Amino acid sequence: MRRWVLLCCWFSVGLSVNAQVTYQNLKKANPHNWLAYSGSYTSQRYSLLNQIDVGNVQRLVPAWIFHAQKEEKLECVPIVVNGVMYVTQEAGVVYALDAQTGRLIWSYHYPPIPPGENRGSNRGVAVYGNRVYFTTQDAFLVALDARTGNFLWRSKIAEAKEGYWAPAAPLALNGKIITGVAPGDYGMIGVIVAFDATTGKQLWRWSAVPKPGQPGNDTWAGDSWKQGGGDTWLTGSYDPELNLIYWGIGNPAPDFNGDVRKGDNLYTDCMVALDADTGKLKWYFQFTPHDTADWDAVEIPVLVDRAFDGGMRKLLVQADRNGFYYVLDRTNGKFLHGTPFVRELNWASGLTKEGRPIRIPGVEASLEGTKVCPSVDGATNWMSPAYSPETGYFYLEALEGCQLQLKASQTFRPGGYPYDATGVMEVPNAPLQTYVRALDLTTGKLQWEYKLIGAREYGAGVLSTAGGLLFAGSPQGSFIAFNAKTGKVLWHFNTGQGISASPMTYSFRNKQYVTVAAGSDVMAFRLFEASQ
Amino acid sequence: MRRWVLLCCWFSVGLSVNAQVTYQNLKKANPHNWLAYSGSYTSQRYSLLNQIDVGNVQRLVPAWIFHAQKEEKLECVPIVVNGVMYVTQEAGVVYALDAQTGRLIWSYHYPPIPPGENRGSNRGVAVYGNRVYFTTQDAFLVALDARTGNFLWRSKIAEAKEGYWAPAAPLALNGKIITGVAPGDYGMIGVIVAFDATTGKQLWRWSAVPKPGQPGNDTWAGDSWKQGGGDTWLTGSYDPELNLIYWGIGNPAPDFNGDVRKGDNLYTDCMVALDADTGKLKWYFQFTPHDTADWDAVEIPVLVDRAFDGGMRKLLVQADRNGFYYVLDRTNGKFLHGTPFVRELNWASGLTKEGRPIRIPGVEASLEGTKVCPSVDGATNWMSPAYSPETGYFYLEALEGCQLQLKASQTFRPGGYPYDATGVMEVPNAPLQTYVRALDLTTGKLQWEYKLIGAREYGAGVLSTAGGLLFAGSPQGSFIAFNAKTGKVLWHFNTGQGISASPMTYSFRNKQYVTVAAGSDVMAFRLFEASQ
């Protein structure tokens, strides 16, 4: 039966499975495709497609549903190339689907990870040339033939036996595939690694924690750099003109006990700019020096060219897990502006003119437990933000709330599920609350917000379109379209499952689709027409 | 979060959770509700709702999705009472949903069955008065308060320790709740049991295999009746005028070795008519005497009052797992007509004028293996058929195919997963194939058919409506609307999961919905309107 289904669908799609994604395509994407995790190198998650707009979005209906083989919360962003959609599942499964019907074209199953070693999400593929790339739970980069799903090669990103794994969608650019690792929480040092897109050969490797003798090592007391952390578990952005990649770095380890790693702990909780050809550090900006609250700074950096303080600037903006929204100059990492984007923020009274937080003494993890806001989940997290050049707004899902943070002992053991999380934190009476928010890009000022039902466990990214729309998902399963300017809810659909992924859009045969992974389903929506 | 969701939905539905289903309601159902497993006592699965029709069905779109908590193939038929939908999951979970939005009103979790004792499907609830009834994996009938999901009482149908369990949706009538058991395959004798709807007290109990001294016991050689089988695992039909219930009885045990149970093996593979007040056998008709192919006769009996041979007759029709379609007089069980409804049928050359199969010698399970058609899955199975008084057609999903059947030794052990299935059968090269078929009700002659993609693992029932439509689901996940007269496909939707349940329809606030459980989702569809 399975063979028959495959054959049927293969023929229905024909030769369009030939991907042929070039660097030129990636630099200036055809809006009919969705070629990168964050839509494009700028990570604006803004689509020029406008068939679906504020006037007709109420006609949006489900076109098809694809159900992943295992009951897993999908967190991937689908990649679409000429009518073929690629999605991933955490257990190392990649599916190629007919983007018009949801039918399976091929599936690839990475050899099963040993029981108990399943470490969580996979956020999707990169496509370059005729190859599909994804990362694995044992920290490999795998290349498949995009037309058949056949295995081509795999390259080790980092050593799984030491505790590494890899959840991010890779970044493809100019003959290279670049990706990172998890989990710094377990005392592993994060890396960003570039591979040759054709051969899989490692081209360069950058470590998120400097060794003795290297600049920045002096921000780690004693030998604490050795288990320094600094995850690199989300996908970075890229400026082809500057040839710089921008990547957010995770928190230091151990998470909640800063006593054993005195200092600023570079380059944890930083945004780093690396030369795409060499991996050399061009600049860094640290959001949370000496973090004791697990506030990874991996949140997607959004690149915008825009007037700022009287002149056109190449900006990089980030809503950080620590609760502040930052505007940087992405040519040099200079701090331009910062402001809180959540109301519940008690650990810093503001930012210095260099962008360094002004800490409020005593508001950090303690032996007795201290109320710290934002919570350990952060004011936002891996859910993708978006920017619309039409409204000039930056959009995100923000999480309001606090937690008791306890300074716990943490013991790291190579290769195992590592840290002693017991008593690290407790949830107080006040529940966390998720909002969809629109901020003015340059000032960070709140323009509108929408309170979602449900908070923890899930968090969905957002998508803006030239149709004047913002799409967002709720922890409770509603997929919602807003007027991007006003925040008015124009449409919603009950998908039945909590949404933990970021929506995307594409078009095929003159029809625009909006897609989101909801629970274990990928759902595609398009405008109603009777002859569907 | 969960509490909040519950509160939100409770208020949105208000007092409509008050079920108030009376015997009068059940006898003459308001078409806005769907009050019984098979839609009504006649089991015609024909709805008078016609808002969705052959002219507008192309405007059908998903209205909402409800996702069951565990990744289980749902086989239940939703029951809808005044805008509240009740669905079940195999592990003993009952959900009350807002039928307009799919939001959860309440859920009830039957105490977990010990690991390894999960025995499969649950096919839904019955609602009577203000109570919701369902059966359990440890063979109890459970009553809940329909308004709150609170547990009221449970009554033992049969002894789980002996190996019994109960998957069927109960049948509610005139103060009684009637249901059956599984699994006769394991050497347990089937029973049909009636309980007082208010108190749960057992009213009567009918055994599918007669004891020594009772009529029919002489159809079992020696002591073979003791492990006779005769499942009662689907829901019967009812004629209030005759006050007879009609119930299909499962196969004899052991399934494939008839040598140890010579004789016709009554009442296995029979249709039986029981007095609803006393459980006394009024008549029986045996489809497959001395069955050695696992051809349970539990398939839903459909009751139709219609002209036959010149006069109005109270008919009972059944498409049997053995491959023949039967027309009986339901007042007395007299065989009126029979004909094959599958092409692959090699075990009998026809039926005698009494309806007894004329066996072809040698075409039965043997030590070496014998090709027998239909397969062990039968020419049809538990997927519900339908009848439309408009077209005069009987509709079903039929399975074409053969298998090698091996006469295996089977050892029964009380309470355990019992029979030695090793080598019982093997699948030959020819794959099984599922079709949607329309038969003339009185002649059984094929009117149209539609070949579905996929065959095994799944099978979906059908639904006919006054809109001139037939709805059917495919093993591969398509939900399809046909012109009931011509068999033309008018609409379809890719649900993403194989459909193993029967569709149903209801209306609420002047909108007709069509619903089907697809995989682990319940999906509701309605006509598109922009302001949804």
Side-chain angles (χ1 to χ4, degrees), chain A residues 58 65 67 71 101 103 494 530, chain B residues 58 67 71 101 478 494 496 530:
Chain A
Q58 289 199 323
I65 302 170
H67 184 74
E71 180 80 341
T101 64
R103 299 286 184 214
N494 175 7
Chain B
Q58 290 198 325
H67 185 73
E71 181 79 341
T101 65
S478 282
N494 175 7

Side-chain angles (χ1 to χ4, degrees), chain B residues 461-484:
Chain B
V462 292
L463 165 72
S464 72
T465 75
L469 296 167
L470 183 80
F471 288 92
S474 87
Q476 168 235 26
S478 282
F479 188 44
I480 308 170
F482 298 90
N483 180 313

Side-chain angles (χ1 to χ4, degrees), chain B residues 217-254:
Chain B
N217 180 268
D218 57 350
T219 64
W220 296 86
D223 278 349
S224 62
W225 67 272
K226 286 186 176 173
Q227 57 180 37
D231 272 334
T232 50
W233 54 271
L234 273 183
T235 308
S237 305
Y238 176 58
D239 185 326
E241 211 175 289
L242 299 172
N243 198 33
L244 292 177
I245 62 165
Y246 303 95
W247 214 282
I249 310 297
N251 60 282

Side-chain angles (χ1 to χ4, degrees), chain B residues 78-388:
Chain B
I79 298 296
V80 170
V81 184
N82 304 330
V84 180
M85 176 182 291
Y86 302 92
V87 299
T88 62
Q89 199 172 353
E90 70 181 46
V93 188
V94 183
Y95 304 96
L97 308 177
D98 178 338
Q100 190 177 8
T101 65
R103 301 284 184 214
L104 187 66
I105 299 170
W106 56 252
S107 66
Y108 170 80
H109 296 248
Y110 189 69
I113 305 301
E117 293 291 301
N118 189 333
R119 297 161 180 201
S121 3
N122 187 287
R123 299 216 166 82
V125 306
V127 181
Y128 190 76
N130 286 326
R131 296 187 181 85
V132 171
Y133 304 87
F134 72 103
T135 59
T136 71
Q137 305 237 347
D138 55 355
F140 278 86
L141 175 73
V142 176
L144 306 177
D145 185 319
R147 296 162 293 194
T148 60
N150 286 343
F151 175 85
L152 297 174
W153 48 256
R154 67 174 192 170
S155 293
K156 191 181 284 187
I157 307 167
E159 182 53 58
K161 284 186 196 136
E162 294 175 9
Y164 287 102
W165 58 289
L171 176 65
L173 60 91
N174 202 11
K176 298 175 202 65
I177 307 295
I178 301 173
T179 194
V181 290
D185 288 342
Y186 303 167
M188 313 307 304
I189 291 174
V191 288
I192 301 172
V193 189
F195 298 91
D196 183 281
T198 307
T199 65
K201 195 182 150 218
Q202 181 181 308
L203 298 176
W204 54 256
R205 185 177 194 89
W206 180 83
S207 173
V209 175
K211 294 195 169 107
Q214 294 179 330
N217 180 268
D218 57 350
T219 64
W220 296 86
D223 278 349
S224 62
W225 67 272
K226 286 186 176 173
Q227 57 180 37
D231 272 334
T232 50
W233 54 271
L234 273 183
T235 308
S237 305
Y238 176 58
D239 185 326
E241 211 175 289
L242 299 172
N243 198 33
L244 292 177
I245 62 165
Y246 303 95
W247 214 282
I249 310 297
N251 60 282
D255 308 42
F256 304 98
N257 186 356
D259 299 346
V260 301
R261 50 169 172 81
K262 291 202 190 303
D264 277 0
N265 307 140
L266 290 176
Y267 298 97
T268 67
D269 290 1
C270 283
M271 182 58 58
V272 298
L274 306 183
D275 183 285
D277 289 332
T278 63
K280 208 182 149 202
L281 181 70
K282 170 87 175 188
W283 59 255
Y284 71 91
F285 175 85
Q286 191 172 35
F287 302 97
T288 315
H290 193 72
D291 173 19
T292 58
D294 195 11
W295 288 330
D296 298 72
V298 297
E299 295 77 47
I300 302 286
V302 178
L303 314 186
V304 180
D305 293 344
R306 191 159 144 175
F308 191 92
D309 269 355
M312 279 302 287
R313 294 290 274 269
K314 275 178 168 286
L315 304 178
L316 178 155
V317 301
Q318 197 215 39
D320 194 85
R321 195 152 152 178
N322 73 12
F324 286 95
Y325 171 77
Y326 294 86
V327 184
L328 307 180
D329 181 323
R330 75 173 183 272
T331 63
N332 55 22
K334 197 185 157 201
F335 172 77
L336 300 176
H337 180 69
T339 186
F341 65 92
V342 284
R343 290 179 281 267
E344 300 276 14
L345 192 160
N346 72 346
W347 68 283
S349 58
L351 302 173
T352 68
K353 68 179 174 17
E354 292 79 25
R356 190 177 177 94
I358 303 160
R359 280 194 173 269
I360 295 171
V363 185
E364 65 178 320
S366 63
L367 291 170
E368 322 77 57
T370 303
K371 182 181 170 185
V372 179
C373 325
S375 75
V376 70
D377 290 324
T380 189
N381 205 308
W382 52 264
M383 40 284 223
S384 295
Y387 168 69
S388 164

Side-chain angles (χ1 to χ4, degrees), chain A residues 282-403:
Chain A
K282 171 87 176 190
W283 59 255
Y284 72 90
F285 176 85
Q286 190 172 36
F287 302 97
T288 315
H290 192 71
D291 173 17
T292 57
D294 196 11
W295 288 331
D296 299 72
V298 298
E299 296 76 49
I300 302 288
V302 177
L303 314 185
V304 180
D305 294 344
R306 191 159 143 176
F308 190 92
D309 268 353
M312 278 301 290
R313 293 290 273 270
K314 277 178 167 285
L315 305 178
L316 178 154
V317 301
Q318 197 214 39
D320 194 83
R321 195 154 150 176
N322 73 11
F324 286 94
Y325 171 78
Y326 295 85
V327 183
L328 307 179
D329 182 324
R330 76 173 181 270
T331 64
N332 54 22
K334 196 186 156 202
F335 171 76
L336 300 177
H337 180 70
T339 187
F341 65 92
V342 283
R343 291 179 281 267
E344 299 276 15
L345 192 158
N346 71 345
W347 67 283
S349 59
L351 303 173
T352 67
K353 68 180 178 11
E354 293 79 24
R356 189 177 177 93
I358 303 161
R359 278 195 176 268
I360 295 173
V363 185
E364 64 178 322
S366 63
L367 291 170
E368 321 77 56
T370 303
K371 183 181 170 185
V372 179
C373 325
S375 75
V376 69
D377 290 326
T380 188
N381 205 308
W382 52 264
M383 41 282 223
S384 295
Y387 168 70
S388 163
E390 289 171 59
T391 60
Y393 297 167
F394 176 90
Y395 302 94
L396 82 165
E397 290 204 5
L399 187 61
E400 292 278 6
C402 311
Q403 275 171 332

Side-chain angles (χ1 to χ4, degrees), chain B residues 13 76 112 126 208 266 277 300 322 330 350 359 391 427 458 500 526:
Chain B
V13 174
C76 71
L266 290 176
D277 289 332
I300 302 286
N322 73 12
R330 75 173 183 272
R359 280 194 173 269
T391 61
V427 181
Y458 302 108
S500 308
R526 68 179 173 211

